[in-house]
Amino acid sequence: QRMEQVLDNFIVNAKKNVFPGGILRLSLVEQGNMLHFSIYNQGASIPPEKLPEIWKKFYRDKNAKYSGSGLGLAIAAQILSMQNLKYGAENLSDGVRFFFSIPIIK
């Protein structure tokens, strides 16, 4: 259930930040014993100095055109950190990609 919450929080965030008519892409890649999830939204980049801030409770972009508590990404980060899982966000040439990886348990 918690991993569903992480995915939901990442998707909701991406939907809020995609340009009107822009691309929203979810990706799942199996590589070795890992599953790599990524959620891309074609939209404005996040200032590099703000990338570490987006994971903090109650962080909100002051220029955001939507409402929210600023908890979604903080909750996702806490869930992933508690599981010692790699996660992050990066600016691409025309948008932002959020990602995390989980081990495959066989």
Side-chain angles (χ1 to χ4, degrees):
Q1 286 178 326
R2 292 293 182 200
M3 295 314 290
E4 286 180 31
Q5 187 176 14
V6 169
L7 269 175
D8 185 59
N9 288 351
F10 278 15
I11 292 168
V12 166
N13 184 69
K15 285 172 59 176
K16 287 181 179 179
N17 289 289
V18 67
F19 287 146
I23 295 169
L24 186 70
R25 182 174 37 242
L26 283 72
S27 174
L28 173 60
V29 175
E30 181 180 349
Q31 185 178 32
N33 66 340
M34 298 295 288
L35 287 175
H36 304 285
F37 293 83
S38 70
I39 296 92
Y40 162 82
N41 68 284
Q42 189 176 35
S45 63
I46 300 169
E49 68 276 6
K50 296 292 183 185
L51 279 171
E53 303 295 315
I54 64 173
W55 307 108
K56 294 181 179 175
K57 289 180 183 176
F58 307 114
Y59 174 79
R60 293 213 357 118
D61 178 359
K62 291 174 181 45
N63 300 318
K65 296 176 179 140
Y66 57 85
S67 63
S69 64
L71 289 173
L73 293 177
I75 290 168
Q78 183 177 23
I79 292 167
L80 294 166
S81 293
M82 288 172 60
Q83 301 297 319
N84 295 316
L85 299 174
K86 179 183 173 191
Y87 68 93
E90 64 180 347
N91 289 312
L92 302 177
S93 62
D94 61 347
V96 179
R97 182 177 78 97
F98 285 79
F99 58 88
F100 66 96
S101 298
I102 62 173
I104 298 171
I105 300 172
K106 296 182 180 183

